[in-house]
Amino acid sequence: PGVNAPSTPFTDTTIHQQILAQQQQRQMQQAAQLQHKLKLQQQQTSSQPHATVTQYKLSSTTPQNKYGQLLAVIDDLGRDIRPSYAGSRSAQERLKKGVVFARSLVRECIIEAEMNAKNS
């Protein structure tokens, strides 16, 4: 065993899982920050009828606004975290796709929130 011993598939997989977990944690933090920002905006504009960005109660059907969709995606991401840690490749793939989709929804929510802030 030399100093520069090649990495084993186990350590490569472990490193990959750690990186994936860190990325997921950052995405969840960004989503939480967005949720907080939108909640503050909703409190500031609660007296105005057009402040429909934040809807905290999700129905069983697909949410109609971007923020509701984001909350639903985050909820789905939460279901795949544990199986991905257990090594489920399908859960990891769903998680990756969900994170990508959540990122785009976060961007759209920020744009929507900024437009609503400018209009008020």
Side-chain angles (χ1 to χ4, degrees):
V3 176
N4 293 329
S7 61
T8 64
F10 176 74
T11 58
D12 288 343
T13 302
T14 304
I15 292 170
H16 176 70
Q17 289 176 342
Q18 289 173 346
I19 291 170
L20 181 62
Q22 289 172 351
Q23 290 172 342
Q24 293 164 356
Q25 185 177 14
R26 273 186 257 132
Q27 292 298 319
M28 297 299 275
Q29 288 172 345
Q30 288 175 348
Q33 289 171 351
L34 175 63
Q35 183 179 10
H36 179 70
K37 182 178 178 181
L38 290 174
K39 184 177 179 182
L40 290 177
Q41 179 188 3
Q42 190 246 359
Q43 289 173 351
Q44 292 171 352
T45 60
S46 63
S47 63
Q48 298 175 0
H50 71 278
T52 59
V53 175
T54 56
Q55 292 181 358
Y56 295 101
K57 294 183 180 180
L58 297 177
S59 64
S60 60
T61 62
T62 304
Q64 296 299 316
N65 65 7
K66 298 293 179 192
Y67 182 69
Q69 290 175 357
L70 179 60
L71 290 177
V73 169
I74 291 170
D75 188 43
D76 290 341
L77 288 174
R79 293 185 189 120
D80 287 326
I81 290 176
R82 190 171 293 200
S84 71
Y85 275 116
S88 169
R89 292 194 185 268
S90 60
Q92 289 175 0
E93 289 302 314
R94 283 193 307 271
L95 209 47
K96 288 177 189 177
K97 289 178 183 179
V99 167
V100 169
F101 186 57
R103 289 180 73 183
S104 68
L105 283 174
V106 167
R107 288 186 195 107
E108 292 174 15
C109 285
I110 290 171
I111 290 169
E112 189 175 332
E114 289 173 351
M115 287 176 29
N116 285 341
K118 287 179 183 178
N119 291 335
S120 52

